[in-house]
Protein backbone atom coordinates (compact mmCIF):
# COMPACT_ATOMS: atom_id res chain seq x y z
CA UNK A 1 0.00 0.00 0.00
CA UNK A 2 1.37 3.40 -0.99
CA UNK A 3 0.36 6.53 0.91
CA UNK A 4 1.42 9.93 -0.42
CA UNK A 5 1.31 12.73 2.13
CA UNK A 6 1.12 16.38 1.10
CA UNK A 7 2.18 18.50 4.07
CA UNK A 8 4.12 21.55 5.24
CA UNK A 9 6.57 21.66 8.13
CA UNK A 10 4.89 24.67 9.78
CA UNK A 11 1.38 23.21 9.59
CA UNK A 12 0.32 22.15 13.12
CA UNK A 13 -2.29 19.72 11.84
CA UNK A 14 0.27 18.03 9.57
CA UNK A 15 2.24 16.74 12.56
CA UNK A 16 -0.97 15.68 14.31
CA UNK A 17 -2.21 13.94 11.17
CA UNK A 18 1.13 12.19 10.71
CA UNK A 19 0.92 10.76 14.22
CA UNK A 20 -2.68 9.67 13.68
CA UNK A 21 -1.80 7.89 10.44
CA UNK A 22 1.17 6.15 12.03
CA UNK A 23 -1.00 4.98 14.93
CA UNK A 24 -3.71 3.80 12.54
CA UNK A 25 -1.16 1.75 10.59
CA UNK A 26 -0.01 0.12 13.83
CA UNK A 27 -3.50 -0.47 15.22
CA UNK A 28 -4.81 -2.04 12.00
CA UNK A 29 -1.80 -4.34 11.74
CA UNK A 30 -0.47 -3.07 8.41
CA UNK A 31 2.94 -2.01 9.72
CA UNK A 32 5.59 -3.12 7.23
CA UNK A 33 3.10 -3.19 4.36
CA UNK A 34 2.77 0.57 3.85
CA UNK A 35 5.10 2.83 1.85
CA UNK A 36 4.93 6.47 2.95
CA UNK A 37 5.89 9.10 0.36
CA UNK A 38 6.22 12.70 1.53
CA UNK A 39 5.10 15.40 -0.90
CA UNK A 40 5.86 19.12 -0.71
CA UNK A 41 3.31 21.86 -0.04
CA UNK A 42 3.86 25.44 1.09
CA UNK A 43 1.11 27.16 3.04
CA UNK A 44 2.73 30.58 2.59
CA UNK A 45 5.61 30.67 0.09
CA UNK A 46 5.75 34.47 0.48
CA UNK A 47 7.09 34.24 4.04
CA UNK A 48 10.49 36.01 4.06
CA UNK A 49 13.47 33.77 4.80
CA UNK A 50 14.71 36.30 7.36
CA UNK A 51 11.37 36.81 9.09
CA UNK A 52 11.37 37.43 12.83
CA UNK A 53 7.63 37.31 13.28
CA UNK A 54 6.25 35.08 16.00
CA UNK A 55 3.44 32.66 15.21
CA UNK A 56 1.12 34.64 17.47
CA UNK A 57 1.91 37.86 15.57
CA UNK A 58 1.42 36.06 12.26
CA UNK A 59 -1.99 34.75 13.27
CA UNK A 60 -3.06 38.14 14.64
CA UNK A 61 -2.04 39.92 11.43
CA UNK A 62 -3.52 37.30 9.13
CA UNK A 63 -6.91 37.09 10.82
CA UNK A 64 -7.15 40.67 12.06
CA UNK A 65 -7.34 39.77 15.74
CA UNK A 66 -5.57 40.62 18.97
CA UNK A 67 -2.49 38.76 20.17
CA UNK A 68 -4.51 37.36 23.05
CA UNK A 69 -7.09 35.91 20.68
CA UNK A 70 -4.32 34.46 18.52
CA UNK A 71 -2.84 32.79 21.61
CA UNK A 72 -6.21 31.30 22.47
CA UNK A 73 -6.51 29.85 18.98
CA UNK A 74 -3.01 28.39 19.09
CA UNK A 75 -3.50 26.90 22.52
CA UNK A 76 -6.60 25.12 21.25
CA UNK A 77 -4.44 23.40 18.66
CA UNK A 78 -1.80 22.67 21.30
CA UNK A 79 -4.46 20.88 23.35
CA UNK A 80 -5.38 18.83 20.29
CA UNK A 81 -1.70 17.96 19.75
CA UNK A 82 -1.42 16.70 23.33
CA UNK A 83 -4.07 14.12 22.53
CA UNK A 84 -1.59 12.41 20.18
CA UNK A 85 1.39 12.87 22.48
CA UNK A 86 2.80 16.12 21.09
CA UNK A 87 3.73 19.06 23.33
CA UNK A 88 3.65 22.08 21.00
CA UNK A 89 5.78 25.08 21.99
CA UNK A 90 3.71 27.89 20.48
CA UNK A 91 5.09 30.48 22.90
CA UNK A 92 8.48 30.32 21.17
CA UNK A 93 7.44 29.49 17.60
CA UNK A 94 8.48 31.83 14.78
CA UNK A 95 7.09 31.84 11.26
CA UNK A 96 9.37 30.18 8.71
CA UNK A 97 9.72 29.87 4.95
CA UNK A 98 9.79 26.11 4.35
CA UNK A 99 11.16 25.96 0.80
CA UNK A 100 14.65 24.96 1.97
CA UNK A 101 13.26 22.28 4.25
CA UNK A 102 11.27 20.82 1.37
CA UNK A 103 14.29 20.96 -0.94
CA UNK A 104 16.34 19.18 1.71
CA UNK A 105 13.80 16.35 1.92
CA UNK A 106 13.67 15.97 -1.86
CA UNK A 107 17.48 15.67 -1.92
CA UNK A 108 17.44 13.22 0.99
CA UNK A 109 15.01 10.98 -0.90
CA UNK A 110 17.89 10.20 -3.24
CA UNK A 111 19.95 9.04 -0.28
CA UNK A 112 17.31 6.68 1.10
CA UNK A 113 14.45 6.69 3.62
CA UNK A 114 13.42 10.19 4.72
CA UNK A 115 11.14 9.12 7.59
CA UNK A 116 13.60 10.18 10.27
CA UNK A 117 14.30 13.53 8.59
CA UNK A 118 10.62 14.41 8.23
CA UNK A 119 10.00 13.54 11.88
CA UNK A 120 13.06 15.55 12.95
CA UNK A 121 11.93 18.64 11.03
CA UNK A 122 8.47 18.58 12.59
CA UNK A 123 9.79 17.80 16.07
CA UNK A 124 12.45 20.50 15.96
CA UNK A 125 9.94 23.10 14.81
CA UNK A 126 6.86 22.39 16.90
CA UNK A 127 8.48 20.91 20.02
CA UNK A 128 11.91 22.57 20.12
CA UNK A 129 10.84 25.82 18.37
CA UNK A 130 13.90 25.70 16.08
CA UNK A 131 14.22 28.08 13.12
CA UNK A 132 13.83 25.51 10.34
CA UNK A 133 13.95 28.18 7.64
CA UNK A 134 17.63 28.82 8.38
CA UNK A 135 20.53 26.91 6.87
CA UNK A 136 22.48 26.29 10.06
CA UNK A 137 19.46 24.77 11.79
CA UNK A 138 18.61 22.56 8.82
CA UNK A 139 22.21 21.38 8.55
CA UNK A 140 22.25 20.40 12.22
CA UNK A 141 18.94 18.56 11.91
CA UNK A 142 20.12 16.70 8.82
CA UNK A 143 23.35 15.70 10.54
CA UNK A 144 21.38 14.42 13.53
CA UNK A 145 19.63 11.86 11.31
CA UNK A 146 22.84 10.73 9.65
CA UNK A 147 23.06 12.90 6.54
CA UNK A 148 26.39 14.29 5.35
CA UNK A 149 26.88 17.83 6.65
CA UNK A 150 28.98 19.02 3.69
CA UNK A 151 26.55 17.66 1.10
CA UNK A 152 23.58 19.20 2.90
CA UNK A 153 25.37 22.56 3.06
CA UNK A 154 25.96 22.41 -0.69
CA UNK A 155 22.30 21.64 -1.41
CA UNK A 156 20.98 24.42 0.82
CA UNK A 157 23.39 26.95 -0.67
CA UNK A 158 21.93 26.33 -4.13
CA UNK A 159 18.49 26.16 -5.74
CA UNK A 160 18.76 22.41 -6.21
CA UNK A 161 15.48 20.45 -5.99
CA UNK A 162 13.33 23.55 -6.18
CA UNK A 163 11.79 22.16 -9.37
CA UNK A 164 10.96 18.91 -7.60
CA UNK A 165 9.21 20.83 -4.82
CA UNK A 166 7.19 22.83 -7.34
CA UNK A 167 6.30 19.62 -9.19
CA UNK A 168 4.91 18.11 -5.98
CA UNK A 169 2.80 21.20 -5.37
CA UNK A 170 1.38 21.20 -8.89
CA UNK A 171 0.74 17.47 -8.75
CA UNK A 172 -1.18 17.96 -5.54
CA UNK A 173 -3.28 20.73 -7.03
CA UNK A 174 -4.10 18.46 -9.98
CA UNK A 175 -5.32 15.80 -7.52
CA UNK A 176 -7.43 18.32 -5.65
CA UNK A 177 -5.12 19.16 -2.75
CA UNK A 178 -6.23 22.56 -1.47
CA UNK A 179 -5.06 22.22 2.12
CA UNK A 180 -2.81 20.05 4.24
CA UNK A 181 -2.35 17.48 5.51
CA UNK A 182 -3.72 15.54 2.57
CA UNK A 183 -3.26 11.77 2.31
CA UNK A 184 -3.61 9.84 -0.96
CA UNK A 185 -3.86 6.07 -0.68
CA UNK A 186 -2.93 4.07 -3.79
CA UNK A 187 -4.20 6.98 -5.91
CA UNK A 188 -7.74 5.76 -5.14
CA UNK A 189 -8.71 7.43 -1.87
CA UNK A 190 -7.94 10.81 -0.35
CA UNK A 191 -8.13 11.94 3.26
CA UNK A 192 -8.14 15.69 3.86
CA UNK A 193 -6.99 16.95 7.24
CA UNK A 194 -6.18 15.34 10.59
CA UNK A 195 -9.41 13.37 10.56
CA UNK A 196 -10.74 11.14 13.35
CA UNK A 197 -8.63 8.03 13.89
CA UNK A 198 -11.48 5.83 12.66
CA UNK A 199 -11.36 7.51 9.24
CA UNK A 200 -7.71 6.55 8.75
CA UNK A 201 -8.33 2.99 9.90
CA UNK A 202 -11.44 2.51 7.77
CA UNK A 203 -9.65 3.76 4.66
CA UNK A 204 -6.57 1.63 5.32
CA UNK A 205 -8.76 -1.46 5.62
CA UNK A 206 -10.69 -0.59 2.47
CA UNK A 207 -7.50 -0.27 0.42
CA UNK A 208 -6.05 -3.41 1.98
CA UNK A 209 -9.16 -5.39 1.10
CA UNK A 210 -8.99 -4.22 -2.51
CA UNK A 211 -5.28 -5.08 -2.73
CA UNK A 212 -5.59 -8.41 -0.92
CA UNK A 213 -3.45 -7.39 2.05
CA UNK A 214 -3.84 -9.18 5.38
CA UNK A 215 -4.36 -7.01 8.44
CA UNK A 216 -3.67 -7.72 12.07
CA UNK A 217 -5.20 -5.86 14.99
CA UNK A 218 -8.24 -3.67 14.45
CA UNK A 219 -8.42 -1.03 17.16
CA UNK A 220 -10.72 1.97 16.64
CA UNK A 221 -9.78 5.50 17.74
CA UNK A 222 -11.49 8.85 18.03
CA UNK A 223 -10.00 12.30 17.37
CA UNK A 224 -11.30 15.64 16.08
CA UNK A 225 -10.45 16.76 12.56
CA UNK A 226 -8.15 19.62 11.62
CA UNK A 227 -6.76 21.04 8.42
CA UNK A 228 -4.69 23.99 7.22
CA UNK A 229 -5.23 25.69 3.85
CA UNK A 230 -3.29 28.45 2.14
CA UNK A 231 -5.69 30.98 3.64
CA UNK A 232 -6.45 29.60 7.05
CA UNK A 233 -6.06 26.95 9.75
CA UNK A 234 -9.32 25.75 11.24
CA UNK A 235 -8.48 26.01 14.93
Amino acid sequence: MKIEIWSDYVCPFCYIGKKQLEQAIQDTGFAGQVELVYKSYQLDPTTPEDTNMSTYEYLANKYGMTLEKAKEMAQGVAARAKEVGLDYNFDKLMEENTLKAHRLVKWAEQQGDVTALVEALLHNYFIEAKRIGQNDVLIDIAEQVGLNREEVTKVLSSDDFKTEVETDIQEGLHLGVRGVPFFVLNRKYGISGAQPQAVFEETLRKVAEEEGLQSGLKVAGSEDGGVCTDDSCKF
Side-chain angles (χ1 to χ4, degrees):
M1 187 186 309
K2 181 178 181 179
I3 302 179
E4 297 163 286
I5 307 169
W6 271 265
S7 61
D8 199 5
Y9 300 109
V10 294
C11 166
F13 289 119
C14 288
Y15 202 5
I16 294 171
K18 176 178 179 292
K19 291 299 184 183
Q20 288 179 301
L21 172 64
E22 291 170 347
Q23 190 62 52
I25 292 172
Q26 290 293 326
D27 289 350
T28 53
F30 293 118
Q33 301 184 70
V34 177
E35 175 191 4
L36 299 180
V37 179
Y38 294 95
K39 298 286 191 174
S40 304
Y41 190 97
Q42 280 194 282
L43 286 170
D44 189 356
T46 67
T47 301
E49 289 185 9
D50 59 351
T51 181
N52 282 306
M53 180 178 290
S54 73
T55 294
Y56 293 145
E57 291 173 322
Y58 178 82
L59 291 172
N61 290 341
K62 188 168 187 175
Y63 300 117
M65 62 178 62
T66 65
L67 280 175
E68 287 304 314
K69 183 62 177 177
K71 290 180 181 180
E72 289 179 14
M73 291 173 59
Q75 293 311 313
V77 179
R80 172 73 188 283
K82 282 184 179 294
E83 296 176 4
V84 296
L86 299 173
D87 190 11
Y88 281 1
N89 191 1
F90 275 114
D91 285 346
K92 295 184 179 180
L93 279 191
M94 306 290 287
E95 283 304 295
E96 303 288 344
N97 186 298
T98 56
L99 177 58
K100 288 183 178 180
H102 284 296
R103 290 199 298 109
L104 175 60
V105 172
K106 302 312 290 185
W107 168 79
E109 284 178 345
Q110 297 189 345
Q111 320 306 310
D113 187 10
V114 297
T115 302
L117 177 59
V118 170
E119 175 66 24
L121 287 167
L122 290 165
H123 178 88
N124 275 274
Y125 182 65
F126 284 107
I127 312 301
E128 304 294 335
K130 296 291 182 64
R131 303 297 307 273
I132 63 167
Q134 299 180 359
N135 283 11
D136 58 340
V137 174
L138 289 172
I139 293 167
D140 286 344
I141 292 173
E143 188 174 39
Q144 290 168 11
V145 298
L147 295 171
N148 183 278
R149 188 178 186 89
E150 288 70 28
E151 292 181 11
V152 170
T153 300
K154 182 178 179 181
V155 170
L156 294 177
S157 298
S158 70
D159 285 329
D160 291 351
F161 298 94
K162 182 178 180 180
T163 298
E164 286 81 351
V165 171
E166 293 171 344
T167 297
D168 274 0
I169 294 172
Q170 291 304 313
E171 182 182 19
L173 292 174
H174 179 72
L175 289 173
V177 179
R178 297 296 182 268
V180 288
F182 196 94
F183 308 85
V184 177
L185 293 79
N186 277 13
R187 289 294 172 108
K188 292 182 178 180
Y189 299 96
I191 299 176
S192 177
Q195 293 294 326
Q197 189 80 26
V199 173
F200 286 96
E201 295 183 6
E202 178 184 356
T203 310
L204 285 168
R205 293 191 180 104
K206 186 177 296 185
V207 174
E209 181 179 2
E210 293 177 358
E211 300 298 333
L213 299 177
Q214 297 296 316
S215 64
L217 297 174
K218 298 182 178 180
V219 180
S222 178
E223 303 287 348
D224 294 328
V227 63
C228 287
T229 68
D230 292 359
D231 296 323
S232 66
C233 280
K234 296 180 181 179
F235 291 93

